[in-house]
Amino acid sequence: MCGIIGYLGKNEKKEILLDGLQELEYRGYDSAGIAIIENKKLKNFKAVGRLKNLREKTKDYLSEGFGVSIGHTRWATHGKPTELNAHPHMGAYSFVVHNGIIENYQELKKELQAQGVNFLSQTDTETIVHLFEKNHDMSNNTWQAFQTTLSKLEGAYATLLITEADEESIYFAKNGSPMLIGFDGEDIYFASSDTPIIGKATEVYYLEDGEFGYAKDGKIYLFDANGEKAFSTQALATDKAMAQKDGYRFFMEKEIYEQGQVMNDTMMGRVLDDKIDLEELDLNLFENITNIKICACGTSYHSALSASYLFERISKIPCQIEIASEFRYKEPLLREDTLFITISQSGETADTLEALKMAKRAGLKSLSICNVDNSSIVRESDASILTRAGIEKGVASTKAFATQTMVLWMLAIYVAQAKKTISSELLEQELQAMRETPKALIVNDKLHAKMTRLSKRYLHGHGFFFIGRDIFYPLALEGALKLKEISYLHAEGYPSGEMKHGPIALADAELFTIALMPKSLHYEKIKSNVEELCARDVTLLAISPEPFELADDYVQTTYNSHPMLEFFEMMVITQLLALEISVRLGNDVDMPRNLAKSVTVE
Ligand code: F6R
């Protein structure tokens, strides 16, 4: 998730921008840049990698006097993390930074290229600055040109634009991506979140979607679809650590709440009206492929396991799943008609990386699903799809799992489209369910309060069993993993139909069973499995749209005709349960003992 900073005023601008970008590092980035206009002088610096590279490049530069300035940390989505793709993007006399995705950029780019515009980068963002300059060349009016530009953009954005055609203003717009404006007398700041301006600004205004305008002479001129509007500021927080968590107690909690929003990013430009479009893939990748092998560790392995059901059911392609650390030493028989998919949040997991290298040595084509562009796994793969979850700080993975699962679901449909194994009716149903997913991920206060209340009953006992069938079995595994990682209580995920083949011997009142009982998939089957456990007196927490009278505790979910919507809703519930149990036990939620965020050792 990119970060944006902007400053209009008399103070030295380079340090304000670089310090601000430093505070946005937590959002994740792979390149950074700044642009400053003052005294008719325009300066622009960009660097790939850490901010220290940008600091090094700018060390001999200091801005002087009044000016306007913008900066950006980029998390690559369209195009590799190179200097040319880093923001600010440049036209002939203007610069722009942008967070979000312009969905119709290809259309706009084609139109501009047809008019002779030369593009330097592969990004969607560059279209904004060229479009602005085209409009300005026609109207000779910067404000009008900016408004016309916005009217052409589809998708999500927070954007800042500065131009030599109006050296005293910063133009801004927000639609779907975060941006706020900070005030300190006549100095004006823009940022993606509070932290970069804490200690600098004293008052803040959080822009709403659909708002846009410009900053000039120490004032903000704010507009929405109805015209110019009044706004009032509020006092800015003073605690930076708290501000990074956006008011949540833990990063993990923030990341659970963020899932609805990041899912929009994951789907943007990919879930179209009538198909799935994965522009990063070339259909050649699937040529002569007759089966799929997916290899991953931990949570990423669980998303792989749920995808195996989707690949076989929807894409009609055989799909095997491998735990990377096992795969490496089993002397696997690898065939060149297998597409080798790796899944990794960090892109650096040693076992997964080594498994990928083995598959490549055996001549297999490879595809990675990853959250970090330019990571080792992405670089090693023939193709990759980024999950666009933004940086995940909580060691226990939440939004990374959600977005991996969504990418795999999209991929299953994409393969089905290519193989023509999906009817147009089914395709329409799948696309519709995908569009509804962000809603299924919304955490409402009542639900969270209920999980907090319930958690006090689940702090002891001799173990937890999370059970489910079909895609809800991997979700049960993931629910159990979340709980053990941050509560240190023993938990297992199990296929509910397997309980009678052994684990049922453990059943007694001290065995906590969390049953995932979706209505849209095998409800009667799982119900019988759960009844068998209730007859042995387990303590049961049922998660289902359907009330279940044998349950000791019951969390009601929404009746949904699509299993994936039930999947995502239940996923949030299990995440909240783990979180609240961990909080009650007084554990370190974000940094649980013995665990690391990136496991680069075997
Ligand atoms: C659990 C968790 C781990 C990771 C595993 C693989 O919450 O985060 O189980 O999923 O270490 O890591 P990546 O996905 O980075 O390859």
Side-chain angles (χ1 to χ4, degrees), residues 519-538:
K519 197 69 204 336
S520 59
L521 202 61
H522 314 316
Y523 179 76
E524 292 305 326
K525 298 280 173 213
I526 181 163
K527 186 164 167 251
S528 321
N529 301 147
V530 176
E531 281 164 356
E532 286 155 18
L533 289 164
C534 291
R536 272 91 186 165
D537 211 21
V538 297

Side-chain angles (χ1 to χ4, degrees), residues 316-368:
K316 310 284 181 223
I317 186 160
C319 179
Q320 304 100 41
I321 308 300
E322 303 273 1
I323 290 177
S325 55
E326 286 298 308
F327 174 80
R328 290 176 62 184
Y329 299 104
K330 73 189 269 200
E331 297 178 29
L333 297 176
L334 296 172
R335 294 186 348 208
E336 287 186 11
D337 61 353
T338 301
L339 176 65
F340 195 78
I341 303 182
T342 50
I343 307 178
S344 175
Q345 184 281 128
S346 61
E348 302 298 342
T349 303
D351 285 318
T352 313
L353 181 59
E354 285 310 314
L356 168 60
K357 287 181 183 166
M358 269 174 69
K360 285 189 70 182
R361 279 196 296 272
L364 273 63
K365 292 197 221 172
S366 59
L367 166 66
S368 59

